Amino acid sequence: SFPTRRSSDLSLMRNHKEMRYLVTPAAVLWSVGVVVADQTRGAAKPRQAIGLDAAPGPRMAARTKPLLVVMVVGETARAANWGLSGYSRQTTPELAQLPVINFAQVTSCGTNTEVSVPCMFAPVGRRDYDEGAIRGSQSLLHVAARAGVAVHWRDNQSGCKGVCEGLPQDEVSALKAAAALCGDGRCLDEGLLIGLPDRLAALAATAPGRPGTQLLVLHMLGNHGPSYFKRYPPAFERFTPACRKDDLRLCSREEITNAYDNALLYTDHVLAQLITQLQAASAQVDTAMLYASDHGESLGENNLYLHGLPYAIAPDVQKRVPMVMWASPGLAQGPGALDTACLKKRAALPAAHDHLFHTVLGLLDVRTQIYEPAFDLSQGCRAP
């Protein structure tokens, strides 16, 4: 059964998903069903349009400065090891020095990327989960674009899982400027920030009276396992000894945790660099960042490693994820001004991936009937 599998077994299955269907004869039937379902999902079908009534709200229409909202999709970061959320190690030292709002009780929609990413961009997530409806419909990004927001997806992982279908997108590995950050078929997450100052400068140069609104999504490689040691440069190997093997069987739990925590240190650095670049343009562009990991990870608790267990039986460490918000000073002024003290109080309460769709629409001021104010984390924290 799942709870008794060794780390080596789960490492193998993480890298070779087909192996999980070869464990028992009964799994053959499950395998056939999954293959058929995947093929059906993968068939070329038009996605159902949502938010057809999406339009700029009064705050967007009245803006005197451009707005850039950056949504960062983390990978395999678990709340249990997040320094800002009370972990015994400080794995977020740079973010701790910035005026960020940390949400310490966040539940993911799934325990793997295939489930969580589409769900993070859907209007209804885990609270009324319907995989067919989520995969068969357009996403938050299409709704925002429909309201005139310039949307762009930049990927450093395994693609957008359909949520950016038909919209502008690129990959870090294809950026010439990222060559020094890439190796072994993967790139370090600092590549996600390439060209950001130029983007901000171009947005600042928007014609007077016509300030632009943009939504940039950055999909991190983050803590993608089992090779945690490949997710950060040597300067971030601060917790030692760190597991430097692709096969977790060859490392102790301490070494695995050290490598995992080092990767979190690097995610902290990338997010802090992102905020620093946004801050530098705050006189010309209003900006906000919202980071949320897609799912968590098991690091040996109850002999479980990695992630992907069925949601109903998955341990909390696979479902509890970090989430952080930051907003530039300009968003705390004028109509609809954000009250950061209010947001910090809201951050002390439970939250979930279900809040992301509506919170981003709220930050952008996109009006549509599918927007649910009760699931906008900033609702109640804005001036009239």
Side-chain angles (χ1 to χ4, degrees):
S1 63
F2 278 110
T4 59
R5 285 184 181 158
R6 296 176 302 164
S7 63
S8 56
D9 298 330
L10 287 175
S11 296
L12 180 62
M13 292 185 184
R14 179 66 180 82
N15 290 316
H16 305 282
K17 293 182 180 179
E18 69 277 7
M19 291 297 293
R20 70 185 70 180
Y21 305 123
L22 301 179
V23 178
T24 66
V28 174
L29 294 177
W30 173 249
S31 176
V32 171
V34 169
V35 170
V36 171
D38 285 345
Q39 290 176 343
T40 300
R41 281 202 303 262
K45 295 180 181 179
R47 292 177 178 269
Q48 180 180 351
I50 61 173
L52 293 174
D53 61 337
R59 285 185 286 111
M60 188 193 300
R63 296 197 65 83
T64 58
K65 288 169 63 178
L67 172 66
L68 171 64
V69 174
V70 183
M71 183 174 176
V72 185
V73 179
E75 171 63 39
T76 320
R78 71 184 211 168
N81 290 49
W82 192 245
L84 289 176
S85 296
Y87 183 42
S88 58
R89 285 175 166 174
Q90 180 48 286
T91 53
T92 53
E94 295 187 50
L95 287 176
Q97 300 302 312
L98 295 170
V100 299
I101 299 165
N102 183 64
F103 292 77
Q105 302 179 61
V106 180
T107 303
S108 68
C109 185
T111 62
N112 61 65
T113 303
E114 295 291 334
V115 171
S116 282
V117 169
C119 196
M120 293 169 79
F121 291 84
V124 178
R126 176 52 58 179
R127 67 188 186 277
D128 190 17
Y129 186 69
D130 185 332
E131 182 178 9
I134 291 173
R135 291 182 178 274
S137 300
Q138 291 181 341
S139 75
L140 162 68
L141 306 187
H142 299 94
V143 177
R146 191 163 283 122
V149 177
V151 176
H152 188 97
W153 178 285
R154 173 165 289 178
D155 204 89
N156 194 34
Q157 227 250 85
S158 57
C160 73
K161 312 305 177 187
V163 304
C164 64
E165 185 177 279
L167 296 170
Q169 55 190 283
D170 60 15
E171 297 181 4
V172 171
S173 60
L175 302 175
K176 290 182 179 179
L181 298 171
C182 302
D184 297 325
R186 297 283 193 177
C187 301
L188 293 172
D189 278 330
E190 284 174 278
L192 290 165
L193 306 184
I194 289 173
L196 180 58
D198 292 337
R199 175 182 292 273
L200 288 163
L203 191 52
T206 304
R210 298 178 57 192
T213 300
Q214 295 188 10
L215 173 59
L216 173 63
V217 184
L218 306 177
H219 189 194
M220 303 184 94
L221 182 58
N223 277 52
H224 193 290
S227 306
Y228 308 123
F229 70 100
K230 293 181 180 179
R231 310 301 172 229
Y232 56 88
F236 289 85
E237 188 154 307
R238 301 176 196 172
F239 301 117
T240 57
C243 178
R244 301 192 61 80
K245 307 290 184 181
D246 292 319
D247 188 344
L248 299 183
R249 167 182 61 179
L250 304 177
C251 297
S252 68
R253 276 192 64 185
E254 177 190 7
E255 291 170 332
I256 293 168
T257 301
N258 285 341
Y260 182 89
D261 287 351
N262 288 333
L264 282 183
L265 281 171
Y266 183 58
T267 289
D268 167 71
H269 173 71
V270 173
L271 293 176
Q273 288 292 106
L274 168 59
I275 292 172
T276 298
Q277 292 186 26
L278 296 178
Q279 282 179 324
S282 60
Q284 297 80 34
V285 183
D286 289 335
T287 56
M289 183 210 74
L290 180 59
Y291 163 83
S293 181
D294 59 352
H295 55 77
E297 186 87 325
S298 288
L299 295 175
E301 300 88 358
N302 299 314
N303 292 320
L304 288 172
Y305 291 83
L306 305 174
H307 58 267
L309 284 177
Y311 199 86
I313 64 171
D316 283 349
V317 289
Q318 293 188 26
K319 297 186 288 188
R320 297 290 176 85
V321 296
M323 185 162 76
V324 174
M325 184 184 293
W326 174 87
S328 67
L331 291 181
Q333 303 169 2
L338 282 175
D339 183 340
T340 54
C342 173
L343 279 171
K344 287 182 179 179
K345 291 181 180 179
R346 177 60 186 88
L349 302 175
H353 278 169
D354 290 43
H355 289 94
L356 294 174
F357 183 99
H358 308 282
T359 300
V360 173
L361 287 185
L363 290 172
L364 294 168
D365 193 33
V366 170
R367 302 299 173 92
T368 169
Q369 290 185 352
I370 61 174
Y371 165 74
E372 297 182 56
F375 281 88
D376 179 353
L377 293 169
S378 65
Q379 180 66 17
C381 293
R382 290 199 206 97

